[in-house]
Amino acid sequence: MTGRRLEAGTTLDEETGAALAAEAQAMNVAKGDRLIVDLSATETMDTRGGAWLLEIADYVRDRRGEFAWEGQRGPVAEQLA
């Protein structure tokens, strides 16, 4: 299994979420790969940013990979809970 990481910026919204999703797709996740989105720097996230996280998760799982996020805190952690 190959572990891959993406680091989200301080804001996760429509624009930055789309960019993050493009980065995820450029990684060409394959069966058995694990993709982790690191949210430790993310201070704010709107609903569209959260929707992009779900899009990334669906992309990875459709390719039979594993998806996770980590490092969320404060309001971002509350939204994801």
Side-chain angles (χ1 to χ4, degrees), residues 9-38:
T10 57
T11 300
L12 190 56
D13 57 16
E14 173 69 30
E15 184 179 327
T16 59
L20 198 64
E23 282 185 63
Q25 290 181 356
M27 291 181 158
N28 293 317
V29 173
K31 181 179 179 179
D33 286 349
R34 179 175 173 87
L35 177 64
I36 299 169
V37 175
D38 183 350

Side-chain angles (χ1 to χ4, degrees), residues 24 62-63 66 72 77:
D62 285 348
R63 298 176 68 88
E66 294 181 30
Q72 63 275 15

Side-chain angles (χ1 to χ4, degrees), residues 21-76:
E23 282 185 63
Q25 290 181 356
M27 291 181 158
N28 293 317
V29 173
K31 181 179 179 179
D33 286 349
R34 179 175 173 87
L35 177 64
I36 299 169
V37 175
D38 183 350
L39 298 167
S40 59
T42 307
E43 298 172 5
T44 61
M45 179 179 74
D46 64 14
T47 55
R48 193 62 192 131
W52 277 113
L53 279 180
L54 297 178
E55 289 285 330
I56 296 168
D58 286 345
Y59 163 76
V60 172
R61 291 176 182 143
D62 285 348
R63 298 176 68 88
R64 298 186 181 176
E66 294 181 30
F67 174 82
W69 57 62
E70 65 181 28
Q72 63 275 15
R73 56 192 167 74
V76 174

